Amino acid sequence: MFRTFRDSHHATDGREDKYNLTGITEHASPNEVFYVGKVRGNLYGRMKNHWESNSARTGSLHLCRWTEGKIRFETDIYQLPERFPVLADIFENEFKLHLTPTVGSRT
């Protein structure tokens, strides 16, 4: 469903009905882990981007646009100490490497 939606709605030019959608992992196949990402600030705002966003500029999953209520997602959130911001990059890279999410940028 995501691939079909992305093929017809991906754009970064701000046009109506076009969205800045995250990429599909090369050689992607359906996977238990759909996406891995990180937030260094407003978690609520970032989650809202993924679930409800209408923004054509913000890169996100735009789940409200293509799932049509047909897919159930579970979200795992890990909070790291703020005094070690580099840990977010390390954890994200390791999760992506070992969990092989279906969509998102690869490191």
Side-chain angles (χ1 to χ4, degrees):
M1 288 174 69
F2 181 73
R3 186 183 303 276
T4 300
F5 183 81
R6 189 176 195 288
D7 287 348
S8 61
H9 290 85
H10 178 68
T12 57
D13 59 9
R15 293 183 314 185
E16 194 172 324
D17 265 12
K18 300 292 181 180
Y19 306 97
N20 186 3
L21 296 157
T22 189
I24 298 173
T25 306
E26 188 176 349
H27 310 298
S29 61
N31 190 330
E32 191 172 296
V33 176
F34 186 69
Y35 176 79
V36 171
K38 69 177 177 288
V39 177
R40 285 199 180 130
N42 183 352
L43 176 62
Y44 172 79
R46 187 63 179 142
M47 295 303 288
K48 189 170 175 130
N49 286 147
H50 286 308
W51 288 100
E52 300 178 11
S53 179
N54 290 327
S55 172
R57 293 184 328 212
T58 303
S60 64
L61 298 173
H62 296 276
L63 295 167
C64 67
R65 297 284 167 214
W66 60 271
T67 62
E68 301 171 1
K70 296 177 182 176
I71 299 175
R72 181 174 176 257
F73 289 94
E74 293 181 16
T75 303
D76 294 324
I77 298 172
Y78 300 90
Q79 184 174 357
L80 303 171
E82 289 183 32
R83 65 182 182 272
F84 301 116
V86 72
L87 286 179
D89 293 328
I90 293 169
F91 271 74
E92 181 188 32
N93 290 342
E94 288 298 310
F95 280 143
K96 285 179 180 180
L97 180 65
H98 295 286
L99 299 176
T100 58
T102 303
V103 301
S105 61
R106 293 294 307 251
T107 57

